[in-house]
Amino acid sequence: MKARVRPGKVLAIMVAPFALAALGSPVGAQQAQAPVDVAAPQAPAAPERVEHVYVELTTPAGAITLDLDKTHAPLTTVNFLKYVDAKRLDGAVFYRAMHLGYSDEPAGLLQGGVRDGAKLFPPVAHEPTNRTGILHKAGTVSMARFAPGTATADFMILISDMPALDAEQGNNGEDPGAGFAAFGHVVSGMDVVRRIWDMPRSATKGEGVMKGDILEDEVRITAARRVAAPPAAPAEGPMAGAPTEPVAADGGNAGDD
């Protein structure tokens, strides 16, 4: 059963082709045979080079490292990095833990952001999932918003897959069906995300869809900084050891605008 999510303040997500050679004629055939062209094996397409930027969020519950996809969601990623580089995410809070009751497994999202309106930059244009290809899976980082194009510094981290947050096929970025702008995923510290998400929630705080989701005690982001790429996990399975395109780890400020 899929959760249906309404927009609001976020609910206010080789085999290389070979040509087959033609079979030869029966032995003893008298007619001349035309030479058969056999296509040479094609090399696998090179992996797409993706520019990743890593950001570590420090909280009293532990550190959370985000892998932001600047190649596929450039506008949303640059917007988030503006807050990081200006240190405007320092002091932001995780304040909402939405728990969905449709599954025996943990399902929902953790939401946080800048609560001081004086620290907000202008809204960022909406980048829907059917344009970026970044879907709302467990661990995905996505922007909170009202209407498309109103997102600023409120964001969410998904505890579970939530395809209801993806844009509908063919949607041009307008509600209904515009979805939310996913732009990365948690690369380490998902246990910290779950720890915060499991903290007590207030029965009275919040309004509308927010009621019952607000944490009793907000969890402060004490610092948000760019960091180097975390060590790669050992490869497993049949593709272990397969060559991959190097990934760019952006630890500086160049090239963000």
Side-chain angles (χ1 to χ4, degrees):
M1 176 181 177
K2 291 196 296 186
R4 298 301 302 170
V5 179
R6 295 177 300 164
K9 188 162 183 171
V10 170
L11 323 172
I13 79 68
M14 277 185 333
V15 178
F18 291 93
L20 296 177
L23 295 177
S25 297
V27 176
Q30 299 301 312
Q31 64 218 48
Q33 299 296 316
V36 177
D37 291 331
V38 179
Q42 296 181 5
E48 180 184 15
R49 185 177 179 84
V50 177
E51 184 178 357
H52 297 263
V53 186
Y54 300 90
V55 171
E56 183 177 84
L57 307 178
T58 304
T59 79
I64 304 165
T65 304
L66 310 179
D67 175 354
L68 309 184
D69 186 339
K70 193 176 178 183
T71 297
H72 297 100
L75 301 180
T76 313
T77 296
V78 166
N79 173 74
F80 193 85
L81 291 174
K82 285 181 179 179
Y83 286 94
V84 172
D85 296 338
K87 298 184 179 180
R88 295 193 183 188
L89 279 177
D90 294 10
V93 294
F94 288 111
Y95 63 91
R96 184 188 184 199
M98 190 182 81
H99 288 234
L100 298 174
Y102 64 82
S103 171
D104 293 334
E105 298 296 323
L109 58 83
L110 179 67
Q111 184 174 342
V114 176
R115 310 305 297 276
D116 182 354
K119 291 185 176 182
L120 297 179
F121 291 117
V124 61
H126 182 55
E127 290 182 305
T129 57
N130 56 9
R131 186 185 307 158
T132 65
I134 307 172
L135 302 181
H136 287 87
K137 304 290 187 179
T140 294
V141 185
S142 188
M143 293 303 296
R145 65 170 177 82
F146 288 105
T150 62
T152 52
D154 234 46
F155 65 98
M156 51 191 174
I157 300 174
L158 272 60
I159 300 297
S160 58
D161 293 358
M162 294 182 67
L165 302 188
D166 294 335
E168 294 178 356
Q169 186 174 4
N171 186 283
N172 61 2
E174 297 180 0
D175 278 335
F180 294 83
F183 62 107
H185 67 278
V186 174
V187 72
S188 70
M190 198 63 196
D191 58 327
V192 178
V193 174
R194 283 286 303 276
R195 192 176 306 137
I196 298 172
W197 182 77
D198 279 330
M199 289 180 177
R201 292 170 290 154
S202 170
T204 58
K205 292 179 180 179
E207 299 179 358
V209 296
M210 292 281 197
K211 191 166 185 178
D213 289 348
I214 304 302
L215 292 174
E216 194 68 66
D217 296 306
E218 297 173 341
V219 176
R220 183 182 175 90
I221 298 172
T222 56
R225 299 289 184 273
R226 297 189 192 220
V227 293
E236 297 179 358
M239 294 302 291
T244 57
E245 180 73 8
V247 173
D250 187 347
N253 296 331
D256 291 334
D257 296 320

